[in-house]
């Protein structure tokens, strides 16, 4: 069974009861799935306006299912419903679980990311060493010519 997480944002201009009615209509498809859990975060201010709205009611669902038809129908109803500002459906098992650990593309991508990170860290370490060396050489350098005559002229005036 695949594990899913769905985040839905309902229009914040609705009352709390209206928003709960809308989300109950929408979530009837997935409520009977195994390990179903629901979290209501309540009314939150959006980071940026969506459909000219600045606030929304957040709902998060976690469940397991093998029925892709239920997920597709939920997506279709969320797109049709004008009260739904945004929805996000995430297959957790595919991206982070066992299936991700045996997916050759994800393994290759992960190794590439690790290699890039190690390379960038080595470059930063080299740059820091060069900067530290330059800073130390500036302090101990006696090659800098100092013109004392300019200071002596100011003192005599």
């Amino acid at each position: 069974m695949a594990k899913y997480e769905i985040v839905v944002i309902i229009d914040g201009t609705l009352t709390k009861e209206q928003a709960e009615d809308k989300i109950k209509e929408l979530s009837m498809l997935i409520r009977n799935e195994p390990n179903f859990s629901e979290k209501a975060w309540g009314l939150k201010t959006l980071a940026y306006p969506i459909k000219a709205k600045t606030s929304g009611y957040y709902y998060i669902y976690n469940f397991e299912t093998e029925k892709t038809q239920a997920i597709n129908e939920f997506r279709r109803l969320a797109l049709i419903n004008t009260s739904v500002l945004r929805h996000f459906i995430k297959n957790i098992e595919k991206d982070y679980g066992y299936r991700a650990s045996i997916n050759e593309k994800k393994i290759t991508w992960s190794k590439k990311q690790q290699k890039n990170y190690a390379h960038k860290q080595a470059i930063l370490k080299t740059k820091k060493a060069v900067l530290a060396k330059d800073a130390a050489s500036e302090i101990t350098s006696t090659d800098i010519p100092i013109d004392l005559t300019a200071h002596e002229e100011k003192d005599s005036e």
Side-chain angles (χ1 to χ4, degrees):
M1 280 207 197
K3 295 179 184 178
Y4 286 92
E5 179 177 78
I6 298 178
V7 179
V8 181
I9 305 173
I10 302 291
D11 186 358
T13 59
L14 300 174
T15 64
K16 187 174 183 177
E17 293 79 24
Q18 290 173 330
E20 287 176 359
D21 289 341
K22 297 283 185 183
I23 198 68
K24 281 183 184 175
E25 291 172 14
L26 192 61
S27 64
M28 290 306 292
L29 295 166
I30 57 173
R31 285 192 180 275
N32 297 328
E33 298 298 332
N35 297 328
F36 178 82
S37 68
E38 175 184 14
K39 294 178 189 172
W41 282 3
L43 185 65
K44 302 281 185 188
T45 303
L46 302 174
Y48 54 89
I50 301 173
K51 298 181 184 175
K53 310 290 189 215
T54 58
S55 62
Y57 293 95
Y58 282 72
Y59 295 92
I60 300 174
Y61 300 106
N62 290 301
F63 59 95
E64 294 179 8
T65 188
E66 292 178 353
K67 304 174 198 169
T68 57
Q69 297 88 3
I71 300 296
N72 292 336
E73 184 65 12
F74 183 92
R75 181 179 288 118
R76 186 184 75 78
L77 292 175
L79 289 171
I80 291 172
N81 194 333
T82 58
S83 299
V84 175
L85 298 179
R86 286 279 193 272
H87 71 282
F88 178 72
I89 301 172
K90 179 80 170 166
N91 184 338
I92 298 172
E93 185 70 20
K94 180 179 174 184
D95 293 332
Y96 300 108
Y98 171 73
R99 287 174 56 194
S101 68
I102 61 171
N103 185 333
E104 195 59 41
K105 284 184 180 178
K106 290 190 183 291
I107 293 169
T108 305
W109 182 82
S110 179
K111 287 180 181 178
K112 183 179 176 183
Q113 290 295 100
Q114 289 174 348
K115 185 177 177 181
N116 287 343
Y117 179 77
H119 180 68
K120 288 178 183 177
Q121 291 300 318
I123 290 171
L124 283 175
K125 187 176 180 181
T126 305
K127 284 183 179 179
K128 286 180 182 178
V130 168
L131 288 174
K133 183 180 176 184
D134 288 346
S137 67
E138 286 177 8
I139 295 171
T140 59
S141 178
T142 56
D143 298 338
I144 302 171
I146 300 174
D147 186 14
L148 297 176
T149 58
H151 295 292
E152 291 175 359
E153 292 174 7
K154 287 182 182 178
D155 291 338
S156 62
E157 291 178 2

